[in-house]
Amino acid sequence: MKKDSRAQITRKESWREYFLLSLESPAIAQDAQPGQFLMVRASVDTHPLLRRPFSIFSAEGKSVEIFFQKVGLGTRLLSEKQEGDTIDIIGPLGTGFTVEKEIKGKHSALIGGGRGIAPLYFLSQKLKAHGGTARVFYGGKSVEDLPVRERFEKSGTTLSCATEDGSFGTRGLITEAFEAELNNGFTVSRIYACGPELMLKKIAEITAALNIPAELSLESVMGCGFGACWGCVKRIRKGQEPGWHKICEEGPVLKAEDIIWELGNNE
Amino acid sequence: MKKDSRAQITRKESWREYFLLSLESPAIAQDAQPGQFLMVRASVDTHPLLRRPFSIFSAEGKSVEIFFQKVGLGTRLLSEKQEGDTIDIIGPLGTGFTVEKEIKGKHSALIGGGRGIAPLYFLSQKLKAHGGTARVFYGGKSVEDLPVRERFEKSGTTLSCATEDGSFGTRGLITEAFEAELNNGFTVSRIYACGPELMLKKIAEITAALNIPAELSLESVMGCGFGACWGCVKRIRKGQEPGWHKICEEGPVLKAEDIIWELGNNE
Amino acid sequence: MSDLSVNIGSLRLKNPVLAASGTFGYGMEFTPFMDLNELGGFVVKGLYFSPREGNPPPRLVETASGLINAIGLQGIGVKRFCEEILPQLRAYQTALIVNVCGENEEEYASVVEYLNSHEGIAAYELNISCPNVEKGGMCPALKPDSTYSVVKLVRSVSSRPLITKLSPNVSDIVEIALSAQEAGSDAVSLVNTFLAMAVDVDTKQPKLANVFGGLSGPAIKPIALRMVFQVASQINIPVIGIGGIMSGEDALEYLICGAKAVEVGTSNFIDPETCLTVVQDLEQYCQTHGISRIEDIIGTLDVKQ
Amino acid sequence: MSDLSVNIGSLRLKNPVLAASGTFGYGMEFTPFMDLNELGGFVVKGLYFSPREGNPPPRLVETASGLINAIGLQGIGVKRFCEEILPQLRAYQTALIVNVCGENEEEYASVVEYLNSHEGIAAYELNISCPNVEKGGMCPALKPDSTYSVVKLVRSVSSRPLITKLSPNVSDIVEIALSAQEAGSDAVSLVNTFLAMAVDVDTKQPKLANVFGGLSGPAIKPIALRMVFQVASQINIPVIGIGGIMSGEDALEYLICGAKAVEVGTSNFIDPETCLTVVQDLEQYCQTHGISRIEDIIGTLDVKQ
Ligand SMILES: Cc1cc2nc3c(=O)[nH]c(=O)nc-3n(C[C@H](O)[C@H](O)[C@H](O)COP(=O)(O)OP(=O)(O)OC[C@H]3O[C@@H](n4cnc5c(N)ncnc54)[C@H](O)[C@@H]3O)c2cc1C
Ligand SMILES: Cc1cc2nc3c(=O)[nH]c(=O)nc-3n(C[C@H](O)[C@H](O)[C@H](O)COP(=O)(O)OP(=O)(O)OC[C@H]3O[C@@H](n4cnc5c(N)ncnc54)[C@H](O)[C@@H]3O)c2cc1C
Ligand SMILES: Cc1cc2nc3c(=O)[nH]c(=O)nc-3n(C[C@H](O)[C@H](O)[C@H](O)COP(=O)(O)O)c2cc1C
Ligand SMILES: Cc1cc2nc3c(=O)[nH]c(=O)nc-3n(C[C@H](O)[C@H](O)[C@H](O)COP(=O)(O)O)c2cc1C
Ligand code: FES
Ligand code: FES
């Protein structure tokens, strides 16, 4: 975990409300693991006050990428940054996806909804590097919400898309597309997912029924990102004890069975 | 007085910490008089909270110009705006310089210190339009503090410069250069000035002694710029009554003899 | 079109958006920016009986998302107000509220008595909470008994609805609101500014000539909103919410917490059209959420048990 | 090199910059960002006798230049702290201060008694001002008598310097500070957070599960600074200034107003190196202004008469 107050934006891509920034930050790039995140400072002086968390989209050589959707003031300010500007980041943070040695030769499904696709590209690369195969399920409201699908295609990853309005891929939710594949005999030994809570809960149900190990990346309001504020807790099991645990340390990636889906917690 | 929340920046010039922006805002340009000012919104959401006051550097056709120095957060944010961006302005505000009919054929001295040069270009144009002649005294710490001298030169205005470090024009304060000229027999029927308070106070002393009418443009912390907050007061005479009067309405340009130079007021 | 009108006791407002005292001049300053008739109403700058000089400058200092002011209630006094300003304001069909000040209880009463005989005023807002006048920020609104006493007196002489404006610089604002209610106030408005200061570290001097001033603006909204919620849950008279309102969303937070109306302050300086934007935002919200009367959302905060 | 050391009663700090309780974890969280030895000291997260669950999420909401938190003092309790954390912290040569909590006076006393017998603690900060535990924000620091009573009891059992942490949610913070002084507190620290709230206008629900939370950050600095100035002018024991400090300039405002030291809170989340930057800024300021001892600027506010 390092602070880099002058990470330079070396490349910026944008699609309507989605943005992909490449940041030069060798020390952070070197340590990064899929599923980990950065805390990015987007404020002008004192407002908005807190850093914003973003998953690491990729880490290679001296660079890390982040992929984000413009939803409020912080992401708007970040979207206005230009190539050559520097930004202040802390990372890599949190506990990412586990990729065990036994993944070799095994098949994984990676399911991303909307901006939830962010951590899955990096993961897909790592799975391949470890000799596993990955199929990515990528869903959104409309074709415009699937901007990074070409990155997956270019890297040779099998990609299945779904849009709610049917403008690309199958029509409907990505979880429906995934379930349909399972019913068609598609088998996987491991599932990884990131996206809206309702999507994650649905995946938890599906995988629990089928007894497939699943890891889910959660979101939470984060005050610091490195364990100091106790602001990001959700009710999860850690060992035997269910309790309010810090998502920035125990997560953001958790085993599906460790998440307690209860009102005011994860819904 | 109008609010234009989408005045477009059609041209931007910059020199180190100085900036000149051309803003397309027909209604404001049309009403503007030399010595009046704009209130410009430079904030991101709620911070910094208040608008910032800037003299009108010029007004022609559909455009007004402002010329400013980067000194803090507001001017920094403004300096980061690009051509094509829009900004939110209110104007024209306040009471500007008086240019009476009798100015015809008469000689005026315009004295500007640092960013205080801002309102004097517009004034010099108006004086000429009314058949007067204007000589501009422009001072700063160093040659880099005199970025808009070419604008005056191009318009054929006689310009005398002074810098404290002697890097351009005479060495010393602009008030010293002006006094030297007076001692050399230079005669004027009217003086207009804008700049640091100490400079203005000095000019008030010189002109009082010589009995030359002088108008000075003051600065003050402004909450609104249009008479609603009572924040911008200074001790001045209005008719017979000395009292706390609003600089955004009675000023920013005041007759030298109406300004009461007392501690905690104008120093 | 939804019905945006609300009642503050016997005072009917065409919409719940008022401009706050001291931030809207005497009203006329805003005519270049809006038709005053579209406002729920506006509260003019605080008036003492006699004209007042106010504090020396600097009177303003900006802080993070906030503004500290120490104007010190400079003003023209009640007589000149009635002679010079009031006749112009009578032309408008909106609630004109006068913010009443006093150095002691008698002065509050004489301001109100003087105004009683003048037409065109909808209500009085009793400013017992200005922190900028006495050094150290003393004012009647800091104590239940001094609140009770001045409200009681003014209520007895007032021929118009009386809104008591409360100070946030207290341990228990509900207790003060209850005193105002008991003394016969028709409504309470809150909050006035928070006693505050700032220092220039190079000169080591206070940034305000008056040392202390009152903090306003978005910075204070979360505290002011909490106070409005607490007061609205505990008293029976209407509450007007004030503090950091810049948008319809801000105003809605107050209404949902129980305010029957809101006042927009500092934001008038930044965007002189704020009050109208807020009215439009409220109209829009009602449309989107299928609300036919704005009164239906007042006090609807959904607190889980 | 200027002398940045200050004395808080018998407690000597190598510089006047402390990290505030609840914003610096148990200290170890910040070792990736700094050498803890360079701090004046740090205050660990509030400890009750037993472990505590804290409040359900959402626990945080951002406001204009501010943060509202309702963590609810989740923590590991004093025993696990002494077993698991304290041994690691003993390695550092900086003042370790423990923030002491209690549901009643007896609990405060038992936390202190338990800690007394453990090495490596420089002082106790008595947290009688947390607004997040009881609904409505009740706590001993709201009243002079409850302040006096708990400080008196804890002082009688404490073997270490005692700093009483005050609440800003009061009418007269000087009165509370005087009670703490009279009860034997060695110093006071102020302020804790301001009771506040925020509402989601679409769901009409409070943005915090706990409804209320405590506001911190730059938004509150002008009010906190005023309180520190008032208290420091009226009491004899040292004052520690807290609220919205993000830079050396902010810290200097507090020192000039009479604080002997400062605590940096929320800013630790945003820039985990803040405390060190503040120390460096102070050093720089002393150099520029030819000040050989930082103590020489404490309480030097130049107020004109
Ligand atoms: C571990 C983690 C990883 C994330 N990775 C990504 C990513 O790779 N790409 C991406 O686009 N987004 C990601 N997010 C979400 C992202 O942090 C928020 O969208 C962002 O902080 C919003 O900031 P803002 O100022 O633009 O919006 P705000 O104005 O703060 O809020 C706008 C809306 O977003 C919601 N929101 C704000 N903060 C959060 C948050 N921390 N979690 C969930 N909702 C929030 C608000 O409630 C509000 O409805 C991640 C969040 C977490 C916790
Ligand atoms: C009528 C009027 C006309 C002006 N015209 C011009 C102009 O044409 N060009 C130009 O460059 N500047 C002009 N100024 C000054 C300009 O408004 C300030 O420099 C600007 O507001 C600073 O904003 P900031 O956020 O960058 O600085 P801040 O961070 O707010 O302050 C930086 C420094 O500037 C000082 N300062 C801030 N506001 C003012 C103010 N209103 N008056 C004086 N000092 C201030 C502060 O005390 C501080 O020392 C004018 C001021 C007035 C009142
Ligand atoms: C410059 C200024 C002057 C004010 N003058 C008065 C006044 O005369 N009477 C009064 O009751 N309140 C006065 N106030 C307080 C406001 O009416 C309002 O209560 C406060 O500013 C909080 O609202 P805001 O955050 O929207 O500004 C003044 C506030 C400001 C900023
Ligand atoms: C997330 C959070 C947790 C806090 N926990 C505690 C605590 O346990 N004990 C305490 O005395 N103060 C606690 N505080 C208050 C801070 O120590 C400090 O008094 C307050 O935040 C004001 O300072 P700031 O504006 O620099 O944050 C907490 C503040 C925050 C933001
Ligand atoms: S975000 Fe601060 S502890 Fe997790
Ligand atoms: S700036 Fe507001 S009255 Fe002059």
Side-chain angles (χ1 to χ4, degrees):
Chain A
M1 178 195 330
K2 303 226 163 40
K3 179 176 163 220
D4 181 351
S5 47
R6 303 193 59 77
Q8 197 178 25
I9 300 175
T10 51
R11 209 167 53 86
K12 175 180 176 178
E13 266 188 273
S14 59
W15 307 261
R16 256 192 349 160
E17 84 257 43
Y18 294 94
F19 301 83
L20 186 70
L21 300 181
S22 222
L23 308 171
E24 191 169 301
S25 190
I28 291 175
Q30 182 186 315
D31 291 352
Q33 293 299 328
Q36 287 189 302
F37 65 97
L38 305 179
M39 289 296 285
V40 179
R41 187 138 189 217
S43 27
V44 169
D45 200 48
T46 63
H47 184 77
L49 195 57
L50 301 175
R51 286 174 188 263
R52 297 292 189 257
F54 298 101
S55 301
I56 298 171
F57 183 85
S58 82
E60 226 187 287
K62 296 193 285 184
S63 294
V64 283
E65 285 181 300
I66 56 172
F67 169 72
F68 64 93
Q69 185 180 11
K70 183 163 72 178
V71 297
L73 180 58
T75 47
R76 193 194 94 204
L77 291 172
L78 211 52
S79 76
E80 288 167 2
K81 299 271 179 188
Q82 305 295 329
E83 287 179 8
D85 290 353
T86 59
I87 52 178
D88 180 351
I89 62 178
I90 295 177
L93 296 163
T95 306
F97 296 104
T98 45
V99 177
E100 289 142 358
K101 289 205 195 83
E102 306 82 64
I103 205 75
K104 191 160 179 177
K106 297 262 173 67
H107 206 58
S108 303
L110 280 56
I111 312 173
R115 66 188 189 207
I117 198 69
L120 301 184
Y121 178 75
F122 192 10
L123 175 63
S124 71
Q125 300 304 99
K126 182 161 177 188
L127 286 169
K128 279 189 227 168
H130 282 68
T133 54
R135 174 159 171 193
V136 173
F137 292 81
Y138 185 8
K141 288 214 163 51
S142 167
V143 60
E144 276 132 4
D145 297 302
L146 310 177
V148 287
R149 56 184 197 278
E150 281 162 29
R151 272 296 276 274
F152 287 94
E153 286 161 2
K154 272 194 208 145
S155 75
T157 308
T158 318
L159 191 66
S160 305
C161 294
T163 53
E164 290 177 41
D165 67 0
S167 54
F168 193 83
T170 55
R171 177 189 296 267
L173 298 174
I174 190 67
T175 43
E176 291 164 0
F178 174 63
E179 273 196 295
E181 286 301 290
L182 288 177
N183 293 339
N184 280 345
F186 171 66
T187 58
V188 277
S189 59
R190 194 143 194 142
I191 288 167
Y192 302 94
C194 181
E197 299 250 341
L198 279 178
M199 171 191 127
L200 297 181
K201 193 178 172 197
K202 181 76 194 165
I203 292 171
E205 286 162 14
I206 299 172
T207 56
L210 299 175
N211 217 354
I212 311 172
E215 292 192 339
L216 310 179
S217 179
L218 294 182
E219 287 194 4
S220 173
V221 181
M222 294 200 169
C224 65
F226 52 86
C229 76
W230 273 258
C232 60
V233 301
K234 301 227 165 193
R235 199 156 200 90
I236 58 175
R237 262 176 290 269
K238 194 183 157 183
Q240 293 309 317
E241 281 175 71
W244 302 118
H245 292 291
K246 295 182 219 162
I247 291 302
C248 69
E249 283 185 351
E250 309 301 328
V253 177
L254 291 157
K255 293 204 180 86
E257 66 267 27
D258 287 343
I259 303 169
I260 299 168
W261 304 93
E262 66 179 26
L263 225 78
N265 177 29
N266 296 302
E267 289 182 279
Chain B
M1 175 196 332
K2 302 219 165 48
K3 180 178 162 218
D4 181 351
S5 48
R6 303 193 59 79
Q8 197 178 25
I9 301 174
T10 52
R11 209 164 55 85
K12 175 180 176 177
E13 264 188 275
S14 59
W15 307 262
R16 255 193 349 161
E17 83 257 44
Y18 294 95
F19 300 83
L20 187 71
L21 300 181
S22 222
L23 309 172
E24 191 169 301
S25 190
I28 291 176
Q30 181 187 313
D31 291 352
Q33 293 298 327
Q36 288 190 302
F37 65 97
L38 307 179
M39 289 295 284
V40 179
R41 187 136 189 218
S43 27
V44 170
D45 200 47
T46 63
H47 184 76
L49 195 56
L50 300 174
R51 286 174 187 262
R52 298 292 188 257
F54 298 101
S55 301
I56 298 170
F57 183 86
S58 82
E60 226 187 287
K62 295 192 285 185
S63 292
V64 284
E65 284 181 302
I66 56 171
F67 170 71
F68 64 93
Q69 186 180 10
K70 183 162 73 176
V71 296
L73 181 59
T75 47
R76 193 194 95 204
L77 291 173
L78 212 51
S79 75
E80 289 168 2
K81 300 270 180 190
Q82 306 296 328
E83 288 179 6
D85 289 353
T86 59
I87 53 178
D88 179 351
I89 61 178
I90 295 176
L93 296 163
T95 307
F97 297 105
T98 46
V99 176
E100 289 143 357
K101 290 207 195 77
E102 304 83 65
I103 206 74
K104 192 159 182 181
K106 296 263 173 69
H107 205 59
S108 302
L110 281 56
I111 312 173
R115 66 187 189 205
I117 198 68
L120 301 183
Y121 178 76
F122 192 10
L123 175 63
S124 71
Q125 300 303 100
K126 182 162 178 187
L127 285 168
K128 277 188 227 168
H130 283 68
T133 56
R135 175 161 169 191
V136 173
F137 293 81
Y138 186 8
K141 289 215 163 53
S142 168
V143 59
E144 274 132 5
D145 297 303
L146 309 177
V148 288
R149 55 183 199 280
E150 281 163 29
R151 272 297 277 273
F152 286 95
E153 286 160 1
K154 270 192 209 145
S155 77
T157 308
T158 318
L159 191 67
S160 305
C161 294
T163 52
E164 291 176 41
D165 67 359
S167 55
F168 193 84
T170 56
R171 177 189 297 267
L173 298 175
I174 191 66
T175 45
E176 291 163 359
F178 174 62
E179 272 195 297
E181 286 299 291
L182 288 177
N183 293 338
N184 280 344
F186 172 66
T187 57
V188 276
S189 58
R190 194 145 194 138
I191 288 167
Y192 303 93
C194 181
E197 301 249 341
L198 278 178
M199 171 191 128
L200 297 181
K201 192 178 172 198
K202 181 75 193 164
I203 292 171
E205 285 163 14
I206 299 171
T207 55
L210 299 175
N211 216 355
I212 312 172
E215 291 192 340
L216 310 179
S217 179
L218 295 182
E219 287 194 6
S220 175
V221 181
M222 295 198 168
C224 65
F226 52 85
C229 76
W230 272 258
C232 61
V233 301
K234 300 228 166 193
R235 197 154 202 91
I236 57 174
R237 262 176 289 270
K238 193 183 159 184
Q240 293 308 316
E241 281 175 71
W244 302 118
H245 291 292
K246 294 182 220 163
I247 292 300
C248 70
E249 282 184 352
E250 309 302 328
V253 177
L254 291 157
K255 293 204 180 86
E257 66 268 26
D258 287 344
I259 301 170
I260 298 168
W261 304 93
E262 66 180 24
L263 224 80
N265 177 29
N266 296 302
E267 290 182 276
Chain C
M1 282 288 289
S2 311
D3 177 6
L4 294 186
S5 69
V6 295
N7 293 314
I8 306 291
S10 63
L11 175 66
R12 188 164 184 82
L13 303 176
K14 64 179 83 160
N15 64 58
V17 184
L18 307 167
S21 180
T23 67
F24 208 68
Y26 296 118
M28 300 306 295
E29 291 84 346
F30 285 77
T31 52
F33 303 111
M34 64 171 70
D35 177 358
L36 298 181
N37 290 317
E38 299 195 15
L39 295 174
F42 60 92
V43 190
V44 293
K45 200 172 150 48
L47 285 173
Y48 283 83
F49 198 84
S50 308
R52 275 176 75 95
E53 267 240 296
N55 293 323
R59 290 178 169 186
L60 296 178
V61 51
E62 265 183 276
T63 61
S65 299
L67 171 68
I68 320 182
N69 89 82
I71 308 298
L73 288 162
Q74 178 168 4
I76 58 177
V78 73
K79 289 185 185 160
R80 272 185 61 198
F81 173 76
C82 288
E83 284 159 22
E84 298 172 21
I85 312 285
L86 195 52
Q88 303 175 54
L89 296 181
R90 287 205 191 98
Y92 297 97
Q93 303 304 313
T94 185
L96 167 66
I97 300 172
V98 175
N99 185 261
V100 173
C101 302
E103 295 203 341
N104 47 47
E105 295 188 355
E106 291 66 40
E107 186 170 2
Y108 284 103
S110 35
V111 172
V112 164
E113 281 176 327
Y114 188 92
L115 292 171
N116 275 338
S117 61
H118 290 79
E119 294 290 299
I121 298 168
Y124 304 125
E125 182 178 59
L126 207 59
N127 178 6
I128 56 168
S129 48
C130 179
N132 290 329
V133 191
E134 295 224 25
K135 282 257 150 80
M138 283 312 297
C139 61
L142 298 189
K143 294 253 152 58
D145 52 354
S146 45
T147 300
Y148 181 86
S149 161
V150 63
V151 174
K152 185 94 186 166
L153 174 67
V154 175
R155 178 64 284 176
S156 74
V157 300
S158 169
S159 62
R160 297 190 167 116
L162 190 63
I163 302 159
T164 304
K165 186 163 179 182
L166 306 182
S167 166
N169 301 303
V170 296
S171 310
D172 184 356
I173 196 161
V174 171
E175 181 190 33
I176 313 287
L178 287 169
S179 301
Q181 169 175 289
E182 210 186 323
S185 193
D186 300 289
V188 290
S189 58
L190 57 148
V191 298
N192 209 317
T193 53
F194 287 77
L195 192 64
M197 70 184 288
V199 171
D200 181 322
V201 303
D202 286 317
T203 64
K204 294 191 192 142
Q205 289 172 358
K207 285 190 177 172
L208 295 169
N210 190 52
V211 184
F212 300 117
L215 181 67
S216 65
I220 67 166
K221 197 189 71 177
I223 318 176
L225 185 67
R226 178 267 295 180
M227 292 181 167
V228 166
F229 177 61
Q230 290 179 318
V231 169
S233 317
Q234 300 282 331
I235 69 173
N236 305 318
I237 55 177
V239 175
I240 301 173
I242 321 173
I245 297 174
M246 297 193 79
S247 68
E249 192 176 328
D250 296 330
L252 282 159
E253 287 193 73
Y254 281 97
L255 298 177
I256 291 168
C257 282
K260 279 217 136 185
V262 296
E263 292 181 19
V264 173
T266 306
S267 189
N268 294 313
F269 303 151
I270 300 153
D271 180 353
E273 295 167 0
T274 308
C275 290
L276 291 195
T277 317
V278 171
V279 175
Q280 284 152 15
D281 288 354
L282 292 183
E283 177 69 44
Q284 182 61 51
Y285 178 89
C286 287
Q287 304 268 322
T288 314
H289 289 72
I291 294 160
S292 56
R293 306 180 328 139
I294 193 92
E295 291 221 328
D296 293 343
I297 67 151
I298 290 165
T300 55
L301 186 72
D302 175 12
V303 179
K304 285 184 207 136
Q305 286 321 333
Chain D
M1 281 287 289
S2 311
D3 177 7
L4 294 186
S5 69
V6 295
N7 293 313
I8 305 290
S10 62
L11 175 66
R12 188 164 186 82
L13 302 178
K14 62 179 85 162
N15 65 58
V17 184
L18 307 168
S21 180
T23 67
F24 209 68
Y26 296 117
M28 300 307 294
E29 291 86 345
F30 285 77
T31 53
F33 303 111
M34 64 170 70
D35 177 359
L36 298 181
N37 289 315
E38 299 195 16
L39 296 173
F42 60 92
V43 190
V44 293
K45 199 170 152 51
L47 285 174
Y48 283 84
F49 199 84
S50 308
R52 275 175 75 95
E53 268 240 296
N55 293 322
R59 290 178 169 187
L60 296 178
V61 51
E62 266 183 275
T63 62
S65 298
L67 171 68
I68 320 181
N69 89 79
I71 309 297
L73 288 162
Q74 176 167 6
I76 58 177
V78 74
K79 289 185 187 162
R80 271 184 62 198
F81 172 76
C82 288
E83 284 160 24
E84 298 171 21
I85 312 284
L86 196 51
Q88 303 175 54
L89 297 181
R90 287 204 192 99
Y92 298 96
Q93 303 304 313
T94 187
L96 168 66
I97 300 172
V98 176
N99 185 261
V100 173
C101 303
E103 294 204 340
N104 47 46
E105 296 188 356
E106 292 66 42
E107 185 169 3
Y108 284 103
S110 33
V111 171
V112 164
E113 281 175 329
Y114 189 91
L115 292 171
N116 276 338
S117 60
H118 290 79
E119 294 290 299
I121 298 168
Y124 304 125
E125 182 178 58
L126 206 59
N127 179 7
I128 56 168
S129 48
C130 179
N132 291 328
V133 190
E134 295 225 23
K135 282 256 150 82
M138 284 311 298
C139 61
L142 298 188
K143 293 253 153 56
D145 52 354
S146 43
T147 300
Y148 181 87
S149 160
V150 64
V151 173
K152 184 92 185 168
L153 174 67
V154 174
R155 179 63 284 177
S156 75
V157 300
S158 170
S159 62
R160 298 190 166 115
L162 190 64
I163 302 159
T164 305
K165 186 162 179 182
L166 306 182
S167 166
N169 301 305
V170 296
S171 310
D172 184 357
I173 195 161
V174 171
E175 181 190 32
I176 312 286
L178 287 168
S179 302
Q181 169 175 287
E182 211 186 321
S185 193
D186 299 290
V188 290
S189 58
L190 56 150
V191 298
N192 210 316
T193 53
F194 287 77
L195 192 64
M197 69 184 287
V199 171
D200 180 322
V201 304
D202 286 317
T203 63
K204 293 190 193 145
Q205 288 172 358
K207 285 189 178 174
L208 294 169
N210 191 51
V211 184
F212 300 116
L215 182 67
S216 65
I220 67 166
K221 197 190 69 176
I223 318 176
L225 185 67
R226 178 266 296 181
M227 291 180 167
V228 166
F229 177 61
Q230 290 179 318
V231 168
S233 318
Q234 301 281 332
I235 69 172
N236 305 317
I237 55 177
V239 174
I240 300 173
I242 321 173
I245 296 174
M246 297 192 79
S247 68
E249 192 176 329
D250 296 331
L252 281 159
E253 288 193 73
Y254 282 97
L255 298 178
I256 291 169
C257 283
K260 279 217 136 187
V262 296
E263 293 180 17
V264 173
T266 307
S267 190
N268 294 314
F269 302 152
I270 300 153
D271 181 352
E273 294 166 2
T274 308
C275 289
L276 291 194
T277 317
V278 171
V279 175
Q280 285 152 14
D281 288 355
L282 292 182
E283 177 68 44
Q284 182 61 52
Y285 178 89
C286 287
Q287 304 267 324
T288 314
H289 289 73
I291 294 160
S292 57
R293 305 180 329 138
I294 194 94
E295 290 221 327
D296 292 344
I297 67 152
I298 290 165
T300 55
L301 187 72
D302 175 11
V303 178
K304 285 183 207 134
Q305 285 321 333

